[in-house]
Amino acid sequence: MKTKKQFMFIFAILLCLGSVAASYDTFFHTKYEMADGMLYGFDWMYGEKHGYLCDISERVGDKSQVRPLSKVQGCRIRDIDVFKKSDTLLRKLIVPMGYKYIYRFWNFKNLETVVLPFTMEEIHLNAFMGCENIKEFKIHRMNRHLRFKDGNLLFQNTSALLYSVNGARIPEGTRKICDGAFANRHDTSTVYIPNSVTSIMSYAFGSNSSIKEVAFSAVNERFMFKNGNIMTKNDSALVCLLSGYEICDDVRVLQSYLFYGREDINSIRIPDGVVRIDTSCFERCCSLKHVSLPKTLKVVGYDAFNYSGIESLDIPEGVEIIEGSIGSCNK
């Protein structure tokens, strides 16, 4: 009897392992289908089929506007993830009902209008990178997640600014300026930030816009603009740079993702006075080979130099915490 129970137990374990292996295999399975000149991808996530738009380069007919399909081979298409520039004539993107997310729709330089359905829930940061001529977002009046106000695309619930069309007027009440919000602006040199803003992400102004100055009111208690940099007043944290990559001597903290992905940096000197380098500050700076760390440094954050090109790093004696900051540095 005992042997039979053991056999049944082992059989049950093998059956479970087989099920897990099958699930694992289908989780990573991806299939592509061309429909109406557009390429769609399909993933099986935990057994559920998931569809998304991933290319429009083969479409024919009217190339000034595109409306992707909402269903292909019986599968609903929910997301857009197009990162390949494929149609320079495209002026209007019409997103059908049922779509929920836009991860990327990059480098369509003639795109002027984006029409979003009430089902659209989220637009990722930098979703329209390189789309420098967008003039408006038409959002269904029943959409509860997004709004377009004074030429700005915002999240309803958090009042976070995703994309600025006008380049200067930020609505009062905006609380956060997201990465890429002004990265495509070439029509203004100054941006005025209302006092309601409590958070500015490091890549909010990108590295290719024409903006040279950010203006805060005299009563702003959080931020200041100094020597081409946005800094916090309370802890002198460098939030983002609008000109070059020279760090001022009065900076004490380098904010997360401050130099993320910058390929134009070969070497950098971090001045004395800086006590903390935050998460992923120099991550994926592949040309960065030489870094001079200050004696005042105390903390090097997680992934601070990951995937960078640094060949050696002299850690000052005063450093107290290094959070896995130099992983994947092949040199």
Side-chain angles (χ1 to χ4, degrees):
M1 182 65 70
K2 186 175 182 181
T3 305
K4 186 177 180 180
K5 285 185 177 180
Q6 288 176 337
F7 174 78
M8 293 297 292
F9 179 71
I10 292 171
F11 178 77
I13 290 177
L14 290 174
L15 190 63
C16 289
L17 288 174
S19 301
V20 170
S23 300
Y24 182 85
D25 185 48
T26 56
F27 180 83
F28 286 95
H29 180 63
T30 302
K31 180 183 177 184
Y32 298 97
E33 289 287 342
M34 185 75 73
D36 195 25
M38 291 176 275
L39 186 66
Y40 298 85
F42 301 93
D43 291 331
W44 277 259
M45 302 178 67
Y46 302 110
E48 181 181 348
K49 195 175 181 181
H50 173 82
Y52 58 96
L53 175 70
C54 54
D55 195 3
I56 66 170
S57 58
E58 300 299 323
R59 51 186 298 270
V60 295
D62 182 11
K63 290 180 178 281
S64 65
Q65 73 175 35
V66 63
R67 182 197 295 268
L69 299 176
S70 56
K71 186 180 287 189
V72 176
Q73 290 192 350
C75 178
R76 292 185 182 277
I77 310 298
R78 299 192 312 172
D79 307 342
I80 293 177
D81 190 10
V82 179
F83 59 92
K84 179 183 176 184
K85 179 181 177 182
S86 54
D87 188 353
T88 55
L89 298 177
L90 183 65
R91 299 186 185 281
K92 188 173 187 179
L93 170 66
I94 305 172
V95 183
M97 189 177 69
Y99 279 67
K100 292 185 177 182
Y101 307 102
I102 297 180
Y103 293 103
R104 290 176 291 192
F105 199 76
W106 287 359
N107 296 321
F108 290 86
K109 295 191 179 296
N110 289 321
L111 184 65
E112 297 179 351
T113 304
V114 179
V115 181
L116 301 175
F118 74 87
T119 55
M120 183 61 60
E121 295 179 1
E122 185 174 351
I123 295 178
H124 280 219
L125 310 182
N126 286 314
F128 293 98
M129 185 172 69
C131 302
E132 56 195 42
N133 287 304
I134 294 179
K135 294 180 172 56
E136 65 174 337
F137 289 88
K138 293 183 177 180
I139 303 174
H140 194 283
R141 58 185 178 82
M142 293 179 64
N143 189 294
R144 298 180 292 107
H145 304 282
L146 302 164
R147 63 190 171 113
F148 187 62
K149 181 180 179 182
D150 297 336
N152 297 282
L153 179 65
L154 301 109
F155 276 126
Q156 287 272 35
N157 296 336
T158 61
S159 296
L161 173 59
L162 284 166
Y163 192 97
S164 174
V165 168
N166 63 57
R169 295 194 311 275
I170 301 177
E172 186 65 47
T174 301
R175 299 187 60 79
K176 180 179 183 179
I177 302 178
C178 298
D179 279 342
F182 292 91
N184 296 315
R185 297 271 46 94
H186 296 284
D187 53 359
T188 185
S189 59
T190 304
V191 172
Y192 300 90
I193 309 288
N195 289 334
S196 57
V197 172
T198 59
S199 174
I200 302 174
M201 298 187 74
S202 294
Y203 201 70
F205 299 91
S207 58
N208 64 340
S209 69
S210 63
I211 296 168
K212 302 299 179 188
E213 183 179 3
V214 175
F216 300 97
S217 72
V219 296
N220 189 288
E221 299 178 353
R222 297 181 180 88
F223 302 105
M224 60 181 171
F225 184 72
K226 184 176 182 181
N227 298 328
N229 303 319
I230 297 176
M231 297 173 57
T232 59
K233 289 183 176 180
N234 60 343
D235 59 358
S236 296
L238 182 54
V239 175
C240 59
L241 300 89
L242 269 70
S243 58
Y245 49 84
E246 185 174 344
I247 302 170
C248 299
D249 289 335
D250 51 355
V251 171
R252 290 180 56 79
V253 177
L254 302 184
Q255 182 169 284
S256 299
Y257 298 96
L258 185 62
F259 295 92
Y260 182 92
R262 291 282 295 270
E263 297 181 0
D264 56 337
I265 304 174
N266 298 316
S267 64
I268 196 161
R269 183 189 72 87
I270 301 175
D272 282 334
V274 172
V275 297
R276 191 174 80 240
I277 300 173
D278 280 344
T279 300
S280 298
C281 186
F282 294 94
E283 185 175 354
R284 298 190 183 276
C285 293
C286 3
S287 302
L288 180 61
K289 295 181 179 179
H290 307 289
V291 179
S292 174
L293 299 178
K295 296 177 181 178
T296 53
L297 190 64
K298 300 293 183 186
V299 178
V300 182
Y302 189 72
D303 285 351
F305 295 97
N306 254 19
Y307 296 100
S308 68
I310 57 173
E311 299 173 358
S312 64
L313 195 63
D314 294 328
I315 309 293
E317 292 183 2
V319 172
E320 299 170 358
I321 300 174
I322 301 177
E323 300 176 330
S325 57
I326 52 174
S328 305
C329 294
N330 297 328
K331 298 182 181 179

